[in-house]
Amino acid sequence: MTTDAAPPPDPRQAEIAAAFADRRADVLAVARAIHADPELAFAEHRAHDRCADLLEGAGFTLERGLAELPTAFRATIGTGSLVAVLCVEYDALPGIGHGCGHNLIAGSSLGAALALADLVDELDVTLQVLGTPAEEHGGGKQLLIDRGVFDGVHLALMAHPAPHTDTYDVLGSGSQAVGRWRATYTGRGAHAAANPADGINANDAAVIAQVAAGLLRQRIKDGQRLALVPQQSGVTNIVPETAVVDLECRALTMPEFERLRTQLVACLEAGAVATGCALEIGASEPIYEPLAQDEVLGAAWNEAMASLGRPLNGSLGISNASTDMGNVSQRVPGLHPFVGITGAEAALHTREFATDAASAEGYRLMDDAAVALAWVVRSVAADPAQRAAMRSRAAELESAHRARVAARG
């Protein structure tokens, strides 16, 4: 934790900070082990075990391999009427490692849970820690939503590291929606010299789609993004009969996202029409929805950061990144603040930021985030008005979620 911060005026805050300090060495050991041993989406077996073992040893009841996902878990302590979730992430990036700082995310949520464990009965809280795999690619949290894991939850939170500054005003911040698909063109093979006219070149369809998408960029709005990455291979003396293109698009709101997706699909269809290829498009992972920061949780987070000596530095606004925590925030009241590693200048998803995520300043950030997350849960649980507001908001989002599910059939 920040050593030069003024001591919190609330004795309960000091008690929580001391409880974290007592377990800090254990949390740090897990976070460091996760960073040193990166595992990709849906294969985070050792990270899963490290987190689950720590919580089980602290008295939490563990469900491993949750919701038929081998690297998901739920750890529960308490039986109170307010159900609070701390989300743990631990998947790494291919070829980069923990360039998104998921070791710090895991550590901060684990630390917050351990700091709160002795207070759950007093606070009338059921505290759950969810190990959520495959945030980078795969939408693990959406799979957990689909399988009922977030049913009955009243609030969910986590903290995400970032470069440059100590902290940001979480209110008014958010993230983009993103969807990812795989397009497969099927043409007809032929000898490229003897009878090329008999072939239907699937690569040509992919090229036309990329050109059309490139021209589309002039028409898309600020805050929208699209990308196409060809996956095909072949040899020069055969007209290729198949071509594969992975693609994604991003936008600030779901209506804008749906419009951009329609435009991008039209570019893919143009390639099929022009060449005579067949086209199949399939989703490669769940759609990540925009992040909605809960105002009650956000205000409590900002207050906690100020108490810890991390001054607010304006709002990030809507980030050009995406997270499946956005899906959770559309389902239950959620909080996903970005907090900067002091002195870190590298962008997320780089090898340089992976180094920052294992630095002394990175782990100082983890300490502060753990205490702040615990303070937020305690603040909401101990205040009757905030507690009632959280339960009411959770009921509204639950009703809206059920309506969306019904509309999809």
Side-chain angles (χ1 to χ4, degrees):
M1 289 177 293
T2 305
T3 56
D4 57 355
D10 187 333
R12 286 301 192 191
Q13 288 186 334
E15 180 182 346
I16 288 171
F20 169 73
D22 288 343
R23 300 304 303 267
R24 196 255 181 182
D26 297 329
V27 172
L28 179 62
V30 169
R32 283 178 167 165
I34 290 172
H35 187 278
D37 183 20
E39 298 168 288
L40 302 184
F42 296 119
E44 317 95 323
H45 299 285
R46 294 180 296 280
H48 166 281
D49 291 346
R50 289 175 175 123
C51 296
D53 290 349
L54 176 63
L55 294 167
E56 191 168 43
F60 286 73
T61 299
L62 262 294
E63 301 168 75
R64 300 170 188 253
L66 182 66
E68 300 181 355
L69 295 176
T71 57
F73 70 82
R74 176 165 50 200
T76 305
I77 194 166
T79 58
S81 61
L82 186 73
V83 181
V85 162
L86 291 159
C87 291
V88 172
E89 295 178 0
Y90 31 56
D91 61 318
L93 293 157
I96 292 176
H98 282 288
C100 204
H102 287 194
N103 60 309
L104 303 180
I105 293 171
S108 60
S109 289
L110 293 171
L114 295 175
L116 287 167
D118 290 339
L119 296 177
V120 291
D121 292 338
E122 175 186 329
L123 294 172
D124 187 24
V125 164
T126 299
L127 182 63
Q128 298 179 355
V129 185
L130 291 184
T132 63
E135 187 277 333
E136 296 295 354
H137 282 283
K141 294 185 188 64
Q142 181 58 48
L143 298 179
L144 294 174
I145 290 171
D146 291 341
R147 298 170 190 183
V149 172
F150 284 90
D151 291 355
V153 171
H154 299 120
L155 62 141
L157 58 167
M158 57 173 282
H160 199 298
H164 298 310
T165 190
D166 280 344
T167 191
Y168 300 96
D169 181 356
V170 70
L171 299 176
S173 67
S175 68
Q176 293 178 314
V178 64
R180 298 184 175 104
W181 304 270
R182 170 160 286 188
T184 302
Y185 291 103
T186 303
R188 184 168 59 242
H191 193 291
N195 61 328
D198 293 334
I200 298 177
N201 192 320
N203 275 358
D204 289 350
V207 169
I208 291 169
Q210 292 173 81
V211 171
L215 296 173
L216 175 63
R217 294 179 193 279
Q218 184 182 41
R219 298 171 51 206
I220 66 174
K221 298 179 179 180
D222 290 344
Q224 297 182 352
R225 300 286 188 272
L226 56 87
L228 291 85
V229 180
Q231 303 294 325
Q232 68 267 23
S233 61
V235 293
T236 58
N237 63 346
I238 300 174
V239 173
E241 64 180 0
T242 61
V244 175
V245 180
D246 287 342
L247 60 140
E248 70 171 43
C249 67
R250 301 174 186 255
L252 302 178
T253 68
M254 286 308 296
E256 289 183 356
F257 171 81
E258 296 292 351
R259 285 194 293 271
L260 183 57
R261 174 170 61 177
T262 298
Q263 290 174 304
L264 186 55
V265 167
C267 295
L268 296 165
E269 292 172 340
V273 171
T275 60
C277 286
L279 170 64
E280 292 185 5
I281 303 174
S284 52
E285 60 186 64
I287 291 170
Y288 288 21
E289 298 179 75
L291 179 64
Q293 308 280 19
D294 181 82
E295 292 188 2
V296 172
L297 298 176
W301 171 266
N302 286 349
E303 182 178 339
M305 284 287 100
S307 295
L308 289 165
R310 289 184 178 268
L312 301 182
N313 190 33
S315 175
L316 279 178
I318 306 300
S319 168
N320 287 332
S322 302
T323 171
D324 60 1
M325 189 64 182
N327 302 49
V328 175
S329 73
Q330 300 291 339
R331 174 68 179 80
V332 301
L335 182 72
H336 180 284
F338 291 95
V339 192
I341 298 174
T342 303
E345 297 183 355
L348 292 173
H349 289 207
T350 63
R351 291 181 178 85
E352 292 78 11
F353 193 82
T355 299
D356 292 330
S359 67
E361 283 295 337
Y363 289 119
R364 184 175 75 90
L365 164 65
M366 180 191 76
D367 297 345
D368 284 353
V371 171
L373 288 171
W375 285 356
V376 169
V377 173
R378 183 258 169 184
S379 173
V380 171
D383 186 300
Q386 291 188 4
R387 187 184 184 101
M390 200 60 51
R391 290 176 61 90
S392 176
R393 178 62 178 153
E396 292 174 4
L397 291 173
E398 165 77 14
S399 178
H401 171 73
R402 292 188 182 279
R404 288 195 300 270
V405 171
R408 291 197 299 263

